[in-house]
């Protein structure tokens, strides 16, 4: 995993522990730590993690003392550990869920203003207990797209599972899109070669964005000038065609000349007289000894 911290950032102990967790993970991802969003960078985001499949915003919370036990998570109530309020290192944030939701909205708006469509942005609260402290469950789903993870360097299994599976969509984040997003978030972007070596695609095979117009194919090269042999073949074809047309015209003219009457010849006389037809036969009765019957 590639991790970049904003220049000049002052990380708390819990945030530094979270950075060490990320750097120890073999997952393909880019983490922008202490990103600046909002108008003129007035809002600080603990971390934005981009994987080939999506974006998640991280709200990091540490503890002021060692607390072990069962984690209780609620939308509108303070977090508890075995019924006792969680003693976070930030006294002003009893429930990090509301702050996380605001951070998710701010990151999404920042990317959209940079003409980068982030798709569905998820969020996770990362609780970082002291090493050796056990807080369970290590992962809690508050609602769709919002989770709570317990992790530190010795126990980062659930964090790795979350980062590798929080987005189930296609691989839509290429190396170039990650560089553009890092620039929009005010974090030094890794090089394109580093992102590709980490596992990002040079160009995403699938994307929720409209596909960019492909460059037009190169124009075919102009035809080469005809050679002498091509000139000779062309003229030979033309000559054969002309000769063929002349032969056809000659045959047609000969046939027409044979059908015309010769001068001086008289047309055969025809008679308009109709030969008389014989009278119809009518039998007569003859008498005995009649001489003309």
């Amino acid at each position: 995993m590639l991790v970049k911290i904003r220049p000049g950032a002052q990380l708390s102990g819990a945030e530094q522990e979270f950075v060490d967790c990320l750097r120890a993970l073999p997952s393909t991802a880019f983490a922008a730590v202490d990103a600046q969003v909002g108008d003129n960078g007035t809002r600080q985001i603990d971390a934005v993690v981009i994987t080939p499949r999506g974006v998640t915003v991280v709200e990091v919370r540490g503890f002021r003392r060692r607390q072990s036990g069962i984690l209780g998570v609620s939308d509108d109530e303070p977090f508890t550990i075995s019924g006792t309020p969680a003693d976070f290192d930030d006294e002003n944030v009893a429930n990090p869920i509301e702050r996380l939701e605001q951070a998710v909205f701010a990151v999404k708006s920042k990317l959209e203003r940079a003409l980068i469509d982030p798709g569905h942005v998820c969020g996770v609260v990362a609780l970082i207990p002291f090493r050796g402290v056990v807080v369970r469950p290590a992962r809690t789903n508050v609602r769709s797209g919002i989770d709570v993870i317990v992790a530190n360097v010795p126990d980062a299994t659930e964090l790795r599972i979350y980062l590798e599976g929080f987005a189930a969509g296609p691989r839509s984040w290429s190396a170039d899109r990650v560089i553009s997003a890092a620039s929009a978030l005010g974090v030094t972007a890794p090089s394109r070669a580093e992102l590709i070596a980490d596992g990002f695609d040079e160009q995403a095979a699938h994307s929720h964005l409209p596909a960019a117009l492909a460059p037009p194919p190169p124009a075919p090269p102009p035809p080469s000038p005809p050679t002498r042999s091509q000139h000779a073949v062309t003229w030979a074809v033309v000559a054969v065609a002309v000769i063929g047309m002349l032969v056809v015209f000659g045959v047609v003219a000969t046939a027409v000349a044979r059908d015309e009457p010769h001068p001086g010849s008289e047309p055969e006389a025809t008679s308009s007289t109709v030969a008389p037809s014989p009278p119809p036969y009518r039998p007569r009765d003859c008498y005995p000894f009649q001489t003309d019957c």
Side-chain angles (χ1 to χ4, degrees), residues 43 75 95-103:
R43 185 177 182 85
D75 267 353
N95 189 324
I97 297 296
E98 181 179 355
R99 184 176 174 87
L100 173 64
E101 291 175 331
Q102 294 173 357

Side-chain angles (χ1 to χ4, degrees), residues 78-96:
F79 285 14
T80 61
I81 297 180
S82 295
T84 303
D87 193 5
F88 294 136
D89 53 5
D90 187 349
E91 298 179 354
N92 298 323
V93 182
N95 189 324

Side-chain angles (χ1 to χ4, degrees), residues 127-177:
L127 302 182
I128 312 297
F130 287 88
R131 296 188 183 186
V133 172
V134 178
V135 177
R136 291 293 182 269
R139 178 177 177 181
T140 302
N141 177 255
V142 180
R143 56 180 173 275
S144 178
I146 300 293
D147 291 84
V148 177
I149 296 291
V150 178
N152 52 28
V153 171
D155 187 12
T157 301
E158 287 298 331
L159 176 61
R160 176 183 176 180
I161 294 173
Y162 171 80
L163 292 178
E164 292 179 351
F166 73 89
R171 293 173 64 94
S172 58
W173 282 88
S174 64
D176 292 333
R177 290 191 67 207

